[in-house]
Amino acid sequence: TVSCHLLRLETTLVVFSMRCCIFWLFAALLPKHQISAFLPPQQRYLNQVWNSPTSLAAATEQDGPVVNVRLAGKLVANQALIGSTIWMGGLGAEVLMRDSTFNGGGLLLGVLGTIPLVLLSRKVETSESPLFASLNLSTNMTVLRLFGGKTQPIVALLVSAILCGITGLVEEVTFRGEILPTLAQWSIDNSLAAGGNEAIFAGTALSTLLFAVLHVNPLGLFAGKEAALDAAVLLGFQLCTGSIFALLFLTTTNLAIPIVAHALYDFYTFYATHLEMTTQMKYAEEEALLPSSSTTNDVVEQKWIDEKGEEFVQGARQTFYLMDSNRDGVVSRKELRVGLFSYGINLSKLESEAILETADTDESGEIDFNEFLEFVKGGSTSKAIKNSLLGIR
């Protein structure tokens, strides 16, 4: 009997291993909303779309609803493979039926369980740390590829709800419903835990670690120091989210609660990112295409129009207002640092302070557009920043 039990357990772990390999393979090949990708291609894409007023206008004036069907299909296919035992009536379906109760109380607790996840996400999204900048950029790029640059509140809501509902269901059934108890039993059978709470803790720790590892692009670990650091940050972030999902399941013993929390959290990530990005792009486009005569104190602008042309000033406006995330018409030190990362310019806090001090000629503590134009001096933002840091003006 013991031999049969061990054989079933080993067979289950082999099946899990195969499914996890598939999960990781898709993580390496597909841009998932929280999977770190390589920054240089992303930044080249941003420069192509954002550094030209014409390109930005095209991105924000697409005709009709736009969804990247190929990308959406790949994301669904990923989850379909991982959740195969759910759809085929296997262990996943059994776990879902046995451990999930979708009632009013469960839904409410799932919604409440989303709160710490959203707070954690907002902390990351608003951070100026370069450790989180690549994570935010990866999320932004995936959502931009999925929905395009035009605000689509209804389409994005429906597609996000479907994708995130599937993801929450599959990943919670797989990692919390199947893998967690299996690894808890495995820890007992291999004398790693005595049983009871100790085994539950071991199963939770191992399944959460597996959850985090499989959400990291494996190619990033071998793509240089910066990519490896991005992967480490993403791993830590996924350990936090996975721990919250596991805690929701263990404290309520209702798998429906982490399923709802996971789905709502992913929905927030997709939908809120889409709305924030597209409204910011629209704001920058409108400001970039304003005729210079409609702005105040346009002497500086006219100077650079005469020297470099209208297109240069429009491009500078676009760059400036894309960084103006709170849309108050000026750029703060934090907005400068965060915004420039999207263009491939990674500044330390001290360097951003030095740039602000150089560009902020009226010493207001912020940079207005005329100051930005004078700072750039008809060249590229990158060149102006390098010259400033070297003391060259």
Side-chain angles (χ1 to χ4, degrees):
T1 304
V2 175
S3 298
C4 291
H5 173 72
L6 289 176
L7 179 61
R8 287 197 300 270
L9 181 59
E10 290 173 0
T11 302
T12 302
L13 289 175
V14 168
V15 173
F16 281 150
S17 298
M18 293 176 64
R19 291 165 66 192
C20 289
C21 287
I22 294 173
F23 192 99
W24 208 353
L25 177 62
F26 269 81
L29 298 178
L30 303 177
K32 201 160 180 281
H33 72 282
Q34 287 178 337
I35 291 178
S36 189
F38 301 113
L39 289 180
Q42 291 179 329
Q43 290 163 343
R44 285 197 296 271
Y45 182 79
L46 281 174
N47 290 337
Q48 177 185 356
V49 175
W50 288 4
N51 282 348
S52 164
T54 304
S55 298
L56 185 63
T60 55
E61 293 180 1
Q62 57 205 28
D63 295 327
V66 173
V67 175
N68 188 331
V69 177
R70 183 179 178 184
L71 176 57
K74 288 179 178 179
L75 294 174
V76 172
N78 180 15
Q79 297 301 328
L81 281 173
I82 302 306
S84 58
T85 62
I86 301 175
W87 325 124
M88 298 176 66
L91 178 60
E94 178 186 337
V95 168
L96 180 62
M97 295 296 294
R98 184 190 67 217
D99 297 338
S100 303
T101 303
F102 289 92
N103 54 23
L107 294 176
L108 178 59
L109 289 176
V111 172
L112 294 176
T114 311
I115 295 175
L117 293 162
V118 172
L119 292 177
L120 174 64
S121 181
R122 289 302 300 172
K123 191 71 174 178
V124 170
E125 291 166 14
T126 57
S127 172
E128 64 177 291
S129 170
L131 293 177
F132 297 122
S134 62
L135 184 62
N136 293 329
L137 181 59
S138 179
T139 303
N140 293 344
M141 287 306 304
T142 300
V143 173
L144 182 62
R145 287 185 60 199
L146 184 61
F147 296 120
K150 180 181 179 181
T151 304
Q152 305 182 89
I154 304 300
V155 172
L157 186 147
L158 294 175
V159 174
S160 296
I162 293 171
L163 291 176
C164 298
I166 294 173
T167 300
L169 175 66
V170 169
E171 295 192 2
E172 290 312 304
V173 169
T174 300
F175 288 100
R176 256 58 68 178
E178 298 180 60
I179 296 180
L180 190 158
T182 300
L183 290 177
Q185 183 61 50
W186 176 83
S187 68
I188 295 174
D189 294 337
N190 288 272
S191 303
L192 298 177
N197 291 335
E198 189 175 338
I200 292 175
F201 176 80
T204 301
L206 292 172
S207 61
T208 301
L209 178 60
L210 185 61
F211 172 82
V213 168
L214 292 175
H215 280 77
V216 176
N217 188 336
L219 298 180
L221 300 173
F222 309 100
K225 182 179 178 180
E226 289 188 6
L229 181 60
D230 293 340
V233 172
L234 181 57
L235 179 67
F237 184 80
Q238 293 292 358
L239 283 172
C240 291
T241 57
S243 297
I244 293 174
F245 295 138
L247 183 62
L248 290 173
F249 176 50
L250 294 175
T251 55
T252 64
T253 66
N254 184 359
L255 192 58
I257 294 172
I259 289 174
V260 172
H262 194 147
L264 288 177
Y265 168 65
D266 281 4
F267 174 80
Y268 161 79
T269 301
F270 268 92
Y271 194 61
T273 299
H274 168 68
L275 294 180
E276 288 177 8
M277 279 196 64
T278 54
T279 52
Q280 185 68 27
M281 291 173 68
K282 186 65 175 177
Y283 166 71
E285 177 211 352
E286 292 172 349
E287 293 294 334
L289 297 179
L290 280 176
S292 59
S293 60
S294 68
T295 63
T296 58
N297 301 320
D298 61 347
V299 176
V300 174
E301 289 186 48
Q302 192 58 51
K303 165 189 166 183
W304 289 110
I305 289 174
D306 294 340
E307 291 192 21
K308 301 289 290 186
E310 180 75 31
E311 186 174 351
F312 166 78
V313 174
Q314 286 183 354
R317 266 206 213 110
Q318 177 188 298
T319 300
F320 179 83
Y321 288 108
L322 279 171
M323 293 189 292
D324 178 22
S325 58
N326 65 355
R327 301 166 205 168
D328 62 353
V330 293
V331 171
S332 67
R333 182 204 60 77
K334 181 178 178 180
E335 288 175 328
L336 178 72
R337 187 184 181 194
V338 172
L340 288 177
F341 185 88
S342 298
Y343 293 93
I345 304 172
N346 191 358
L347 300 177
S348 68
K349 185 175 180 179
L350 288 177
E351 287 172 336
S352 63
E353 290 173 350
I355 297 301
L356 180 69
E357 184 177 352
T358 302
D360 181 25
T361 55
D362 64 1
E363 299 182 350
S364 64
E366 296 170 315
I367 303 173
D368 61 34
F369 179 60
N370 285 338
E371 290 173 328
F372 181 73
L373 263 183
E374 290 288 81
F375 174 73
V376 174
K377 288 188 177 296
S380 69
T381 307
S382 176
K383 182 178 179 180
I385 288 172
K386 291 176 182 177
N387 289 342
S388 178
L389 294 175
L390 291 172
I392 302 173
R393 293 302 294 163

